[in-house]
């Protein structure tokens, strides 16, 4: 059973302060309302010379972790690889994704901007390959930190006329950290100024050495414009995939990851998922984070209504009672009661955590107290059209900080900018509202003006981040 600090203190006849002191001395910051973690309980047990037995009441909550063990490996089959393309802005990520798709499926898909995650499966030599688009490498890593390892292979696209740029370097770090095999696509080879040797040399400097230079990274020259090299790229993906021996069980109950989610008019919560194990069918009872429901309808990557999604396939699912978080696992279970119980337990757990978090004093805040008044914060409210972008923006903003100033995300959510956002913003001094691919209505704009709240809207993540960085450096010079 979960136990809070003060409950634990009571149970062993100590004061909450004693418990807090022991943990504090070991660098663990807790308040009396916090739940104790397993390792903290063990430490306390040792420290106080008492025996602490932990009953595993969280078994249900941690269902995903136990889930894998229940899989019967005898019915495993090879599953298609899941590929993510990353690269510096304008190096042709979107064009490449569009070209790969259009070379394999009928046209009609809206090309152009892919700030949000979209995904699809193509067939090459009778074998399937699934591509997952992420709004950026930050979103990719933020999904990974939440345990959602959806990608098997990473393609780093580098424009052959431009070479390695700042975001290419970032992408390389994210890709290496993921441990996935990397393939380099040297794009824009149709251009006269294309210089593949320059790309190879620059990448080799980052320890991504081409196979023809004695290394182990495949460099494939491609052109997203003409389509040259794309078949080569797909073939290389299949070779890498074969080496990985990717396997899963199509007969198991489905386990999928949410790669995008939104609330759609007339459809309700929509989850864009990728199936990692089993088969998801209409009518399945599903739980996803703190949401649950029964699969009402499934559409595949072509937008067609289908009855099921198989291994590594992507599509959208209707039927959850709320919009799930990007990166969370969606799991099919036997009964409605099961999924409802798990979702409810998780929701209670999350609420309790949230409550204890708000009273928590972090180390950063502690040192801030010492510096008294020196810390400056830029409070922001973030609203975005889709969950993936929201996570990416939030993650990046929280990283923008130095000793004197940092961004404080007061509130972030998927959806339009509303009057309640204005109310919230005017409640915290200096708070600005950042909208990504969402705009305020006339009435909301008027209220913002009346209340003196600033609303900035963007359609490019980097523009948003740049503006915030500028704002922060302004605050810094004001301090100095
Ligand atoms: P992203 O920002 O990485 O998604 O890049 P885009 O796909 O939006 O491409 C940026 C620009 O480069 C666009 O104007 C594309 O038309 C152009 N582009 C992309 N691929 C190629 C290519 O293979 N050859 C040429 N000549 N232009 C390309």
């Amino acid at each position: 059973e979960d136990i809070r600090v003060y409950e634990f203190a009571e149970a062993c006849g100590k004061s909450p302060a004693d418990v807090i002191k022991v943990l504090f001395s070991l660098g663990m910051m807790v308040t009396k309302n916090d739940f104790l973690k397993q390792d903290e309980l063990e430490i306390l047990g040792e420290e106080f010379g008492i025996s602490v037995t932990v009953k595993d009441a969280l078994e249900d909550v941690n269902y995903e972790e136990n889930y894998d063990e229940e899989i019967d490996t005898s019915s495993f089959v090879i599953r298609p690889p899941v590929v993510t393309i990353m690269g510096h802005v304008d190096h042709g990520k979107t064009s490449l994704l569009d070209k790969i798709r259009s070379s394999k499926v009928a046209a009609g898909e809206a090309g152009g901007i892919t700030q949000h995650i979209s995904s699809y499966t193509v067939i090459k030599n009778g074998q399937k390959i699934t591509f997952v688009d992420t709004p950026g490498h930050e979103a990719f890593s933020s999904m990974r930190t939440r345990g959602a390892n959806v990608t098997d292979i990473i393609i780093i696209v580098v424009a052959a006329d431009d070479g390695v740029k700042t975001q290419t370097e970032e992408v390389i770090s994210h890709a290496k950290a993921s441990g996935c095999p990397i393939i380099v696509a040297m794009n824009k080879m149709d251009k006269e100024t294309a210089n593949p040797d320059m790309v190879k040399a620059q990448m080799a400097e980052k320890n991504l050495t081409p196979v023809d230079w004695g290394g182990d990274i495949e460099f494939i020259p491609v052109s997203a414009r003409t389509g040259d090299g794309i078949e080569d790229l797909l073939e290389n993906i299949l070779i890498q995939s074969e080496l990985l021996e990717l396997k899963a069980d199509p007969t198991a109950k489905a386990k999928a990851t949410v790669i995008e989610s939104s609330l759609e008019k007339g459809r309700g919560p929509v989850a864009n998922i990728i199936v990692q194990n089993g088969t998801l069918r209409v009518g399945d009872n599903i739980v996803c984070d703190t949401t649950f429901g029964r699969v009402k309808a499934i559409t595949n990557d072509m937008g067609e209504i289908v009855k099921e999604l198989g291994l590594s396939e992507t599509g959208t699912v209707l039927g959850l009672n709320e919009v799930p978080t990007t990166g969370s696992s969606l799991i099919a279970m036997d009964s409605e009661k099961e999924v409802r119980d798990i979702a409810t337990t998780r929701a209670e757990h999350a609420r309790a955590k949230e409550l204890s978090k708000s009273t928590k004093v972090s180390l950063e805040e502690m040192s801030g107290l010492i510096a008294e008044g020196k810390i400056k914060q830029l409070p922001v409210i973030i609203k975005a059209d889709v969950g993936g972008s929201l996570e990416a923006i939030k993650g990046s903003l929280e990283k923008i900080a130095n000793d004197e100033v940092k961004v404080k995300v007061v509130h972030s959510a998927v959806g339009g900018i509303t009057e309640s956002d204005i109310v919230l913003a005017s409640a915290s001094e200096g708070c600005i509202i950042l909208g990504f691919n969402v705009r305020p209505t006339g009435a909301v704009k008027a209220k913002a003006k009346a209340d003196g709240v600033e609303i900035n809207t963007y359609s490019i993540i980097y523009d948003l981040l740049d503006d915030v960085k500028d704002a922060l450096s302004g605050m810094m010079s004001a301090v100095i």
Side-chain angles (χ1 to χ4, degrees):
E1 188 57 69
D2 263 9
I3 187 162
R4 292 178 192 267
V5 168
Y6 73 86
E7 291 166 336
F8 178 85
E10 243 166 56
C12 58
K14 305 270 174 193
S15 77
D18 288 338
V19 176
I20 292 167
K21 216 160 69 192
V22 167
L23 294 175
F24 182 79
S25 67
L26 296 165
M28 294 172 227
M29 310 293 289
V30 295
T31 64
K32 69 187 177 92
N33 290 320
D34 282 343
F35 287 104
L36 288 164
K37 292 198 270 304
Q38 170 100 31
D39 56 334
E40 292 167 341
L41 283 169
E42 280 167 19
I43 289 167
L44 287 167
E46 268 173 46
E47 200 65 25
F48 294 144
I50 51 174
S51 117
V52 179
T53 324
V54 183
K55 281 186 281 167
D56 206 356
L58 281 181
E59 216 165 62
D60 278 351
V61 178
N62 293 328
Y63 188 79
E64 297 103 316
E65 280 144 44
N66 302 332
Y67 184 87
D68 288 339
E69 291 158 24
E70 288 168 23
I71 297 164
D72 173 10
T73 52
S74 65
S75 39
F76 269 38
V77 297
I78 300 280
R79 67 163 175 83
V82 179
V83 181
T84 298
I85 302 186
M86 298 195 277
H88 189 75
V89 65
D90 282 347
H91 277 199
K93 182 176 95 108
T94 313
S95 308
L96 201 55
L97 273 164
D98 287 351
K99 194 70 185 179
I100 291 169
R101 186 169 208 206
S102 66
S103 72
K104 294 289 162 191
V105 299
E109 176 70 11
I113 301 182
T114 48
Q115 287 278 3
H116 61 86
I117 299 175
S118 61
S119 47
Y120 59 82
T121 304
V122 296
I123 296 176
K124 165 78 181 169
N125 300 345
Q127 287 168 278
K128 286 180 180 171
I129 303 171
T130 296
F131 287 89
V132 177
D133 189 12
T134 68
H137 42 280
E138 292 94 347
F140 171 81
S141 282
S142 99
M143 274 178 72
R144 269 192 56 240
T145 51
R146 272 174 293 152
N149 290 316
V150 286
T151 305
D152 301 308
I153 296 165
I154 292 173
I155 295 184
I156 300 181
V157 53
V158 185
D161 61 334
D162 202 24
V164 172
K165 290 279 168 275
T166 47
Q167 285 158 33
T168 318
E169 288 176 11
E170 289 167 26
V171 163
I172 291 171
S173 313
H174 286 265
K176 280 184 178 166
S178 76
C180 296
I182 296 168
I183 298 174
V184 178
M186 301 186 290
N187 191 33
K188 308 199 185 184
M189 287 299 290
D190 58 290
K191 284 193 161 183
E192 241 170 59
T193 47
N195 186 350
D197 278 338
M198 170 186 74
V199 175
K200 286 181 178 174
Q202 291 172 338
M203 293 297 266
E205 253 174 55
K206 309 273 166 224
N207 285 323
L208 293 173
T209 314
V211 169
D212 48 342
W213 289 17
D216 55 2
I217 307 288
E218 292 289 352
F219 281 61
I220 317 292
V222 299
S223 167
R225 179 150 297 172
T226 65
D228 279 348
I230 285 183
E231 295 304 320
D232 240 11
L233 183 64
L234 296 179
E235 251 156 51
N236 263 281
I237 292 169
L238 289 178
I239 292 168
Q240 286 290 349
S241 161
E242 214 173 293
L243 295 173
L244 289 171
E245 294 186 54
L246 304 164
K247 285 183 181 154
D249 179 4
T251 67
K253 287 220 174 316
K255 182 186 177 193
T257 296
V258 176
I259 48 181
E260 188 58 276
S261 61
S262 57
L263 189 61
E264 285 182 22
K265 234 184 186 157
R267 298 176 85 202
V270 179
N272 189 359
I273 60 157
I274 178 155
V275 177
Q276 293 179 289
N277 196 47
T279 303
L280 185 73
R281 298 188 175 85
V282 172
D284 280 353
N285 292 299
I286 50 172
V287 56
C288 184
D289 205 0
T290 56
T291 68
F292 69 97
R294 180 184 281 255
V295 179
K296 267 198 301 206
I298 302 175
T299 43
N300 66 10
D301 58 351
M302 307 284 289
E304 299 158 342
I305 304 222
V306 291
K307 287 255 171 326
E308 58 180 50
L309 283 181
L311 297 176
S312 296
E313 287 182 341
T314 73
T316 58
V317 173
L318 300 190
L320 286 168
N321 65 338
E322 277 172 66
V323 180
T325 342
T326 323
S328 56
S329 290
L330 180 146
I331 288 165
M333 298 181 85
D334 288 324
S335 70
E336 212 230 300
K337 185 180 176 330
E338 256 180 302
V339 293
R340 179 189 296 273
D341 285 353
I342 289 179
T344 314
T345 314
R346 284 177 178 171
E348 280 164 10
H349 199 68
R351 253 196 306 278
K353 275 238 168 82
E354 201 51 47
L355 271 177
S356 63
K357 212 163 88 186
S358 60
T359 57
K360 189 172 244 161
V361 184
S362 74
L363 266 181
E364 238 172 39
E365 285 168 85
M366 291 274 284
S367 61
L369 286 179
I370 298 160
E372 201 50 68
K374 270 254 168 129
I375 284 195
K376 279 208 159 193
Q377 288 184 333
L378 176 66
V380 298
I381 290 172
I382 317 166
K383 298 302 281 281
D385 58 339
V386 290
S389 309
L390 185 70
E391 296 292 337
I393 292 166
K394 197 171 162 222
S396 306
L397 284 180
E398 282 170 344
K399 268 185 258 149
I400 304 177
N402 62 23
D403 294 344
E404 281 163 349
V405 271
K406 66 176 182 190
V407 176
K408 180 171 194 252
V409 179
V410 175
H411 172 64
S412 65
V414 169
I417 298 165
T418 62
E419 293 202 15
S420 87
D421 293 327
I422 309 290
V423 173
L424 188 59
S426 42
S428 28
E429 211 196 330
C431 183
I432 56 172
I433 298 176
L434 304 170
F436 183 72
N437 283 341
V438 292
R439 257 159 233 297
T441 61
V444 172
K445 248 190 235 171
K447 183 165 174 53
K449 202 168 172 205
D451 292 2
V453 172
E454 187 179 328
I455 300 177
N456 294 331
T457 56
Y458 305 86
S459 53
I460 294 171
I461 293 181
Y462 298 104
D463 288 349
L464 185 154
L465 296 180
D466 282 349
D467 268 11
V468 172
K469 279 179 198 158
D470 285 351
L472 284 187
S473 52
M475 288 170 75
M476 254 186 311
S477 52
V479 174
I480 301 158

